[in-house]
Amino acid sequence: MRVGVPKEIKNHEYRVGLTPASVSELVANGHDVFVETKAGCGIDFDDDAYQAVGATILPTAAEVFSTAEMIVKVKEPQPQEIAMLEPHHILYTYLHLAADQPQTEGLMKSGATCIAYETVTSPAGTLPLLKPMSEVAGRMSVQVGAHYLEKEQGGRGVLLGGVPGVAPAKVAILGGGVAGINAAMMATGQRADVTIYDINPDRLAELDLHFGSQIKTAYASKAAIANAIQEAELVIGAVLVPGAAAPKLVRRDQLSTMKRGSVLVDIAIDQGGCFETSKATTHDNPVYEVDGVIHYCVANMPGAVARTSTFALNNATLPHAIQIANKGAVKAMADDPHLANGLNVSGGHVRHKAVADTFDTIDYVPLD
């Protein structure tokens, strides 16, 4: 199969769909890989590194799209990329369609087969291709939250871990999944006062066993969340409904109850965000303020640590990429129902129910 890797064009996105090591694996399986020039330069993978493992360097994204059968990316395709997709293409990347109806409609119009990393499952029911970026985003959420709590950043002027004689900051983590647990690991490492909120009692029990006395756990009732945001200096939204839009856990009118200079970090922003006042931001302009509360809602948080993120992502996505290339998308999905769960769009239709259910005007058409 002809596999193409275009350069990412989203704001400050330096990750790349395939590392040279991943290209080497595909070439060893008999495939041809075409990489847009400078696709990996942002993280020190120059064109020579790709050529050394058998890739062909092409000067433009247009040439990559016109040459390749499978397009491997990191972030969702931008409008100019969607315009280059054709029915014969297989697109393998993050999509997050529930938060983006124009992208969904554009992919439907293209006729391409679009497999989303974030809805591929494992035999255990987890999301193995989303996990590495959730780990990165969870750890980063505490890092950026602590930064924006600093007074010169507009924050409350609070040190996350406090000092002897001064209490640490309170951190409320909404969601005890992969992102939430990684946020908790970082926050407890900085000696913050951490509480994780979740609606799954079994998950709360697991978290309690994992962290012991390092954190507190609480059932995520509306009343509990309302009380949590009043007390916390840092609130991290880490909820996830696979493929669907994130639920809104904090209303606009509740911000007035929060401490001035407190910080909200919305990890769920790729799926529309879990705070009513959330709107996607970029690394160029990452924060904004509403009612004295700082909102950090960067839609590609892991792009800030692009080298770490690229290696972590490739570790998870490469095995499926090889199977798709070896067998073709149809046979690969027929052989692996967990990969088939990653199919979001094909043949002009939405194939993932949670995505279709998000939109009033788009029907769910299951793939036979």
Side-chain angles (χ1 to χ4, degrees):
M1 184 176 284
R2 298 187 303 276
V3 180
V5 183
K7 188 177 189 297
E8 296 293 324
I9 56 176
K10 193 164 185 172
N11 178 272
H12 282 290
E13 184 53 75
Y14 305 106
R15 289 174 289 181
V16 63
L18 293 173
T19 65
S22 295
V23 169
S24 178
E25 294 292 329
L26 283 162
V27 170
N29 276 266
H31 306 294
D32 298 320
V33 182
F34 301 87
V35 179
E36 182 181 355
T37 185
K38 302 187 186 308
C41 283
I43 51 174
D44 290 335
F45 296 143
D46 60 22
D47 290 350
D48 289 344
Y50 284 105
Q51 289 177 311
V53 294
T56 299
I57 303 299
L58 295 178
T60 66
E63 290 183 71
V64 171
F65 276 78
S66 65
T67 303
E69 299 163 274
M70 177 164 70
I71 303 295
V72 181
K73 281 176 45 61
V74 177
K75 289 304 293 176
E76 71 279 0
Q78 302 303 293
Q80 59 267 51
E81 294 175 309
I82 293 175
M84 292 186 283
L85 287 171
E86 298 182 11
H88 72 272
H89 278 128
I90 303 164
L91 176 65
Y92 183 52
T93 188
Y94 285 119
L95 293 176
H96 298 293
L97 295 181
D100 193 343
Q101 186 165 348
Q103 184 201 167
T104 305
E105 292 172 343
L107 294 179
M108 292 169 65
K109 184 178 179 180
S110 77
T113 298
C114 306
I115 299 172
Y117 296 157
E118 71 271 12
T119 59
V120 173
T121 57
S122 73
T126 61
L127 303 172
L129 276 58
L130 183 62
K131 182 180 179 181
M133 296 304 95
S134 295
E135 291 170 337
V136 172
R139 296 182 183 210
M140 279 190 66
S141 67
V142 175
Q143 182 174 303
V144 300
H147 177 65
Y148 285 104
L149 278 173
E150 296 172 6
K151 192 65 180 176
E152 66 271 24
Q153 303 301 324
R156 191 162 177 78
V158 172
L159 181 64
L160 207 61
V163 292
V166 180
K170 290 188 175 181
V171 178
I173 301 172
L174 310 183
V178 174
I181 195 171
N182 277 271
M185 289 167 60
M186 294 296 285
T188 55
Q190 294 192 41
R191 299 190 176 187
D193 182 349
V194 180
T195 304
I196 301 180
Y197 297 80
D198 202 283
I199 59 172
N200 185 338
D202 291 336
R203 185 58 175 161
L204 293 174
E206 292 169 2
L207 292 167
D208 184 70
L209 286 173
H210 180 85
F211 286 101
S213 60
Q214 287 184 299
I215 67 162
K216 298 183 283 291
T217 59
Y219 185 80
S221 65
K222 290 182 180 180
I225 292 174
N227 184 64
I229 65 171
Q230 292 177 37
E231 296 184 351
E233 282 83 14
L234 173 58
V235 180
I236 297 171
V239 297
L240 173 68
V241 180
K248 305 299 183 187
L249 301 182
V250 177
R251 301 189 312 272
R252 168 72 171 79
D253 61 358
Q254 291 179 297
L255 295 190
S256 61
T257 70
M258 297 179 66
K259 297 174 182 176
R260 184 168 185 83
S262 55
V263 177
L264 296 177
V265 178
D266 198 341
I267 299 174
I269 193 63
D270 275 334
Q271 296 294 116
C274 60
F275 308 125
E276 190 176 23
T277 45
S278 290
K279 59 182 181 181
T281 60
T282 67
H283 290 294
D284 272 343
N285 190 20
V287 298
Y288 58 93
E289 183 182 319
V290 180
D291 288 352
V293 176
I294 295 174
H295 292 57
Y296 180 97
C297 304
V298 175
N300 59 330
M301 285 178 66
V305 286
R307 190 171 174 89
T308 295
S309 296
T310 294
F311 281 115
L313 181 61
N314 272 239
N315 289 344
T317 59
L318 180 61
H320 287 303
I322 292 173
Q323 291 306 307
I324 295 168
N326 285 351
K327 301 177 180 180
V330 173
K331 181 69 162 61
M333 289 190 289
D335 289 349
D336 185 352
H338 301 291
L339 175 61
N341 287 334
L343 182 66
N344 278 210
V345 176
S346 70
H349 300 289
V350 170
R351 307 294 191 180
H352 196 284
K353 190 174 188 305
V355 172
D357 288 348
T358 305
F359 307 115
D360 295 331
T361 58
I362 295 177
D363 294 327
Y364 166 57
V365 181
L367 185 68
D368 185 356

